[in-house]
Structure formats: C-alpha cells, structure tokens
Amino acid sequence: MPTLETTFYGHTYDNPFMNASGVHCMDVTELDELASSAAGSFVTKSATADGRKGNPEPRYVNLDLGSINSMGLPNLGLDYYLNYAILRQKSQPDAPFVMSVASYQGFDEYVDNMRQIQDSAYTGLVELNLSCPNVPGKPQMAYDFEDTKRLLTEIFKFYTKPFGVKLPPYFDMQHFDKIANVLNQFDLKFVNCINSIGNGLYIDETTDTVVIKPKGGFGGIGGEYVKPTALANVRALKQRLNPTIEVIGTGGILTGRDAYEHLLCGASMVQVGTQLQKEGVHVFERLTAELLAVLEEKGYQSIAEFKGKLGTLD
C-alpha cells in the first residue's frame, strides 16, 4: 500500500490535508473536530486583534461549481486563538498545526499581532494572512509589493519564530516574479496560495439579484471555479521561490485527483475550503481514500515520488 505521509517544515504528517482558514475553525469545538478528523493537520481562523462579527448576512452561498462569500473576517479575536494554540501545543506537542493571523486595520495591526505572538509561549507555525479580499474598503496587502516588503521587514526586526504568508491569486507573470522577489528576501517557511478570487459576482436566475448582501453582491469565489488559477499560482511560485520556502496549495480541491494535481505542481500540503463547508469534516476521509487510489493507479508508493514533477510539452 502506498503512503500519504508528507513532510512539512520538519514534521511528518499522516497526509497532506488541512482545512482552509475560515472554514470550520471559528471556535474550540470546530478546531477540536478538525484535530480529531482524518485531516493531517489544521489551521485556525484568521485572527484580528479584536473579535469581529463580520459582514451582514447572507454573506456565504454555495454554488453549483463552488461558492461565493464576503465574510468580513468574523473571528473571536487574537487572544482567543492564541490561548487555544498555547494550550494545544502544550497538550499535543507532537501534533503541530498552524495559527492564522490577519488584520482589519492594516499595517500596524499586523505588526502588533505578530509582536503579541512573539511575546507568547506559542512557538509553532503562523500563517500571516496578507490576502483578505472581502473587507469593504480595505485593500489586500499582498497586491502592494512595496508595502508587503515594508511589512515583512518590520516584522523580521523582532519576530524569531517560524511563519509563512497566505497570498491572493496573481494573474500576470510579472506579478509572480515581483512577489517572489519580495518573499525570497526573507526567511519565510511557507507560502499558502491561493485565497479566494476576489470580487466575483453571482446572479440568482430566478430573482435577478445578487446572492450575498455585503459589497453589493461582490465576493470571493472558491471551489471548482478557481482550481486552474490555484494550480497556476502553486506552480509559478514553487518555480520562483527559494527551495527552503514550501508551498501550501489551496483552491478547488473537491476530489483526491484535485489534491494530486496540487502536489504535482509542488505543494507540500493542501487545504480544503468550499468542499469542507459543503460536506463537513468527513470530507477528509473521502479525500484521503481517493488520493490513495490515485497513487495506486499511477504506481506510486509515496507523494515524494511525484511531488513537483509536473510534465510540460516542451
């Protein structure tokens, strides 16, 4: 039997599957359910300094080929998730996970949040979410390359623990080059790509209205719609980043074959968002079985045999 074991930042996980931050990770109950599921690991909700209720409902809708959302960073605040992370790290030291951190106010809040984690007892991986596309009036940090460099420079002045960044999708080869040039200047442990494709619009064919309330119906698109874009971002960044920076692939994972393609493009771990929202945590049992079946069909005994070995038609 092949194995789905994968190594990410020096730890071997039973399989590469995680939730995507924002899905089934709001509180202790949901986080514990993830920890007890068939997923290899998990990530917490992206935390802002203070708790947030988020945007008005309806703000998430399942679609035939994915989802649209404009959540507005609802979360219980940095103190809540940091306390959870410290307690879980102490009680389960051999089961590492990722803590996600965001900002609603911008540059200074990012810095202050990271300083609070630096001063805490938590020593595990942190995901700095630079790609929050669904906060009205707030731009995405990672689309401003100079500001991203300025932010990382400031954080690395004091932060000594391991962390990586979550990125939005990029659509131009020059943008892949530019963001990689910025990230390669820092001792980042990973990049996570992609967040949802921002500012999509979906129309209800019966009512001729948008389907979510915030931002006049504009929201982030996830699910099947985004897989080609997600794969392109995983591939492009893996080709451009320092070998020491690993990639987490997120976007459009409905089946084990989808996960296989993310790994083929160079991802070390993969995250599931829309399909987890639709199916619940049992989705990880199905996905691991399907990914194992793909390996068996291909004759592979491990992920390492094909990871990053996407063929081209050159």
Side-chain angles (χ1 to χ4, degrees), residues 13 27-28 35 79 84 130 133 145 159 201 209 225 254 287 303:
Y13 298 85
D27 56 23
V28 168
D79 286 345
Y84 174 86
L130 302 180
F145 303 115
Y159 200 85
L201 192 73
T209 65
Y225 296 109
L254 282 72
L287 290 174
I303 289 173

Side-chain angles (χ1 to χ4, degrees), residues 21-22 43-52 72-75 77-79 81 99-117 126-135 138-141 151 155 163-166 195:
S21 181
V43 59
T44 69
K45 188 77 174 69
S46 290
T48 51
D50 300 315
R52 288 181 44 77
L73 279 175
N75 71 96
L78 180 58
D79 286 345
Y81 300 104
M99 181 178 171
S100 187
V101 183
S103 169
Y104 181 71
Q105 299 299 330
F107 189 97
D108 290 342
E109 185 184 355
Y110 275 122
V111 174
D112 291 344
N113 288 346
M114 293 298 282
R115 195 178 299 278
Q116 183 174 340
I117 299 171
V126 167
E127 173 188 274
L128 187 66
N129 189 344
L130 302 180
S131 57
C132 301
N134 301 310
V135 179
K138 303 291 182 179
Q140 294 191 55
M141 172 68 74
L151 175 63
I155 290 172
F163 80 99
V165 295
K166 185 167 187 178
N195 206 329

Side-chain angles (χ1 to χ4, degrees), residues 27 34 43 80 90 98 120 139 143 149 151 158 175 183 186 194 233 245 268 271 273-274 314:
D27 56 23
L34 283 171
V43 59
Y80 182 91
K90 185 176 181 180
V98 179
S120 76
Y143 281 147
K149 181 178 178 179
L151 175 63
F158 63 86
H175 292 164
L183 300 180
F186 301 95
I194 58 172
N233 276 256
I245 302 177
S268 295
Q271 293 185 352
T274 295
D314 298 337

Side-chain angles (χ1 to χ4, degrees), residues 137-183:
K138 303 291 182 179
Q140 294 191 55
M141 172 68 74
Y143 281 147
D144 187 323
F145 303 115
E146 291 184 3
D147 227 22
T148 296
K149 181 178 178 179
R150 186 168 71 93
L151 175 63
L152 292 175
T153 298
E154 184 64 28
I155 290 172
F156 272 100
K157 288 179 181 178
F158 63 86
Y159 200 85
T160 61
K161 300 173 183 180
F163 80 99
V165 295
K166 185 167 187 178
L167 300 175
Y170 298 100
F171 304 96
D172 190 284
M173 290 298 183
Q174 288 190 0
H175 292 164
F176 291 137
D177 293 339
K178 288 181 177 180
I179 190 62
N181 179 60
V182 170
L183 300 180

